[in-house]
Amino acid sequence: MMTPDAFEEALRAVGAERYHVHHPFHHLLHSGALSKGQVQAWALNRYCYQAHIPMKDASLLARLDTPALRREWRRRLVDHDGDGEHPGGVERWLALTDGLGLDREAVTSMRLILPATRFAVEAYVRFVRERPVLEAIASSLTEMFSTDIIRSRVSGMLANYDFVSEETLAYFKPRLTQAPADVAFALEHVKRHATTAALQDACLAALRFKCDLLWAQLDALHFAYVAPALPPPGAFRP
Amino acid sequence: MMTPDAFEEALRAVGAERYHVHHPFHHLLHSGALSKGQVQAWALNRYCYQAHIPMKDASLLARLDTPALRREWRRRLVDHDGDGEHPGGVERWLALTDGLGLDREAVTSMRLILPATRFAVEAYVRFVRERPVLEAIASSLTEMFSTDIIRSRVSGMLANYDFVSEETLAYFKPRLTQAPADVAFALEHVKRHATTAALQDACLAALRFKCDLLWAQLDALHFAYVAPALPPPGAFRP
């Protein structure tokens, strides 16, 4: 069994190897190499992931058995669903798709997304609903790696695309403070409750699984819209 | 199919016939006819119900697919779990069991509750987790009938028992405003979405089911602690 600090290092090493910041699609996205249609395809598909985040959080919340744990997970729902006055992450993502000129109904109905996006997102919701709570929490730890990617995404996209603005990228700014708060709790929880080598391994596997499903979404986007650029029948065409 | 107003009348008629305010145990409780030990048994068993309310709400929340619906159900979680500063309903119920001199661990471990309490509460959680969302929401409508019972309970218990006080009954006061807010949303939702005779019948059946499970908890308390006063092996003995 690893010490808690060595375990944290092992978790961070998963991100260093597998987090989707290293995917070629992200390099293209951030560097300004994509067309507006390709950025639309990314935002449209990513909406499916965003819209399911509060659903996976709610399904974890439904399995937590103390008020304190539920309060922590409820906070994440507030971040994504808003409070009825301040918009949450799902609504802020629509500012991006609106800003990119995508039809609101086409986005929220998800009828144009890639099947691979849906499969990956549904695998995540199912994992969080069905696996032990400790693993479900560990799978959220990709947020340990998200603040860097968000910073480079926002600055890169603002500098390189004339069709994005601070307003259309409104989704990302609150995430710079929300994600570290989420991580502070989840990392502490996982370090404290992974009390055997087997549990530590299960947490590492959960984090790898999560990295894989983020990565798979970019593979699908790359294949459909970059090279060979063959969107499947029924999917969005720029 | 009934008109929405006739449907609401039919829902209210379920409460008039079956709500547990009409159970003999409640008459004894409110009128001062119970011993302290019998009131302890009620508060101890009812804790199990209270502690599962946010769990059933969270499991409904996990099945709601719009931010607006989830925000409404999240509000109920706030009422029951608190916000980390203001106590929620679960914690306020412990003020009652504390005030009645019950050991905190004996209460929260639920190890002394009647098996019938657990069966009824688990049936409720399962119903809300598994039945259609419309029926799960309809089952919450017993709150239409709760403000009267709370008012008579608080005034009756304060007048009739020297071992209860305003502080120990802290659970109930916020419910007088929370329950009507819950009802306003849920009743409107059920009236709008029960668009066929079959759906209206299913909602009425859900509300009857909920009344039945509240009633069954009082049957068990009455049998174990009032007459013939035979608590089962392992259960709380005053």
Side-chain angles (χ1 to χ4, degrees):
Chain A
M1 186 186 160
M2 290 174 263
T3 64
D5 285 348
F7 177 45
E8 179 175 338
E9 279 315 298
L11 290 165
R12 292 192 184 280
V14 170
E17 184 194 20
R18 289 171 180 247
Y19 191 55
H20 62 171
V21 69
H22 307 301
H23 194 286
F25 190 89
H26 265 163
H27 292 299
L28 299 174
L29 176 67
H30 299 174
S31 66
L34 297 184
S35 67
K36 183 171 178 182
Q38 290 168 324
V39 175
Q40 285 176 326
W42 167 73
L44 177 82
N45 277 273
R46 169 78 181 240
Y47 175 80
C48 175
Y49 178 74
Q50 295 303 140
H52 281 80
I53 291 293
M55 300 189 73
K56 74 93 188 162
D57 282 327
S59 90
L60 179 56
L61 176 63
R63 300 169 64 206
L64 301 173
D65 60 1
T66 69
L69 268 173
R70 285 194 298 266
R71 282 197 297 267
E72 172 62 26
W73 240 261
R74 209 176 64 208
R75 196 175 54 68
R76 296 180 181 229
L77 282 184
V78 178
D79 292 345
H80 296 290
D81 283 337
D83 58 11
E85 194 173 338
H86 308 91
V90 178
E91 197 178 330
R92 294 202 312 280
W93 196 266
L94 291 172
L96 175 59
T97 56
D98 285 351
L100 290 169
L102 290 163
D103 178 65
R104 184 68 78 105
E105 183 280 329
V107 174
T108 58
S109 68
M110 304 185 214
R111 62 185 164 77
L112 300 177
I113 63 170
L114 298 169
T117 300
R118 190 182 300 278
F119 299 152
V121 167
E122 287 177 354
Y124 186 29
V125 174
R126 221 162 34 236
F127 183 95
V128 171
R129 183 178 293 151
E130 293 172 6
R131 301 290 302 169
V133 165
L134 182 65
E135 293 176 38
I137 293 178
S139 73
S140 76
L141 287 175
T142 43
E143 291 192 281
M144 287 198 287
F145 323 122
S146 73
T147 47
D148 284 350
I149 197 177
I150 288 176
R151 277 205 194 83
S152 66
R153 180 177 297 157
V154 170
S155 61
M157 290 182 76
L158 282 177
N160 295 316
Y161 297 112
D162 57 10
F163 50 83
V164 303
S165 65
E166 294 250 10
E167 290 74 51
T168 56
L169 297 184
Y171 171 77
F172 297 102
K173 200 170 171 192
R175 294 305 303 158
L176 292 171
T177 49
Q178 291 165 352
D182 292 351
V183 167
F185 182 93
L187 181 59
E188 179 60 30
H189 181 92
V190 164
K191 285 168 74 176
R192 188 173 339 121
H193 291 88
T195 51
T196 67
L199 289 173
Q200 290 181 337
D201 285 348
C203 289
L204 289 164
L207 188 54
R208 264 184 235 113
F209 160 79
K210 172 72 174 297
C211 286
D212 290 352
L213 74 88
L214 293 171
W215 193 275
Q217 291 177 65
L218 297 185
D219 282 355
L221 280 168
H222 205 278
F223 182 89
Y225 298 106
V226 178
L230 287 174
F236 173 72
R237 282 167 193 272
Chain B
M1 186 184 160
M2 289 174 264
T3 65
D5 285 347
F7 177 44
E8 178 174 338
E9 279 316 299
L11 291 165
R12 292 193 185 279
V14 171
E17 183 193 20
R18 291 172 178 245
Y19 193 54
H20 63 172
V21 69
H22 307 300
H23 194 286
F25 190 89
H26 265 163
H27 293 298
L28 299 173
L29 177 66
H30 300 174
S31 67
L34 297 183
S35 67
K36 183 171 179 181
Q38 289 167 323
V39 176
Q40 285 176 324
W42 167 73
L44 177 82
N45 277 273
R46 169 78 181 240
Y47 175 80
C48 175
Y49 177 73
Q50 295 302 140
H52 282 80
I53 291 292
M55 300 188 74
K56 73 94 189 161
D57 281 327
S59 90
L60 180 57
L61 177 63
R63 300 170 64 206
L64 300 174
D65 60 1
T66 69
L69 268 172
R70 285 195 299 266
R71 283 197 296 267
E72 172 61 26
W73 240 261
R74 208 177 66 208
R75 196 176 54 67
R76 296 180 180 227
L77 282 183
V78 177
D79 292 345
H80 296 289
D81 283 337
D83 59 9
E85 193 172 337
H86 308 91
V90 178
E91 196 177 331
R92 295 201 313 278
W93 196 266
L94 292 171
L96 175 60
T97 57
D98 285 351
L100 290 169
L102 290 163
D103 178 65
R104 184 68 78 106
E105 183 278 331
V107 175
T108 57
S109 69
M110 303 183 213
R111 62 185 165 76
L112 299 177
I113 64 170
L114 298 170
T117 300
R118 190 181 300 277
F119 299 152
V121 167
E122 287 178 354
Y124 187 29
V125 174
R126 221 163 34 236
F127 183 95
V128 171
R129 183 177 293 150
E130 293 172 6
R131 300 291 302 170
V133 164
L134 182 65
E135 293 175 38
I137 292 178
S139 74
S140 76
L141 287 175
T142 43
E143 290 191 280
M144 287 197 288
F145 323 123
S146 73
T147 47
D148 284 350
I149 198 177
I150 288 177
R151 278 206 192 83
S152 66
R153 180 177 295 157
V154 169
S155 61
M157 291 183 75
L158 282 176
N160 296 315
Y161 298 114
D162 57 9
F163 50 83
V164 302
S165 64
E166 294 249 10
E167 289 74 50
T168 56
L169 296 184
Y171 171 77
F172 297 103
K173 199 170 171 193
R175 294 305 303 158
L176 291 172
T177 49
Q178 291 165 353
D182 292 352
V183 167
F185 182 92
L187 182 59
E188 179 59 30
H189 181 92
V190 165
K191 285 168 74 177
R192 189 173 339 121
H193 290 87
T195 51
T196 67
L199 289 173
Q200 290 181 337
D201 285 347
C203 289
L204 289 164
L207 188 56
R208 265 184 235 112
F209 161 79
K210 171 72 174 298
C211 286
D212 290 351
L213 75 87
L214 293 171
W215 192 276
Q217 290 177 65
L218 296 185
D219 281 355
L221 279 167
H222 205 277
F223 182 90
Y225 299 108
V226 177
L230 286 174
F236 174 70
R237 283 170 191 271

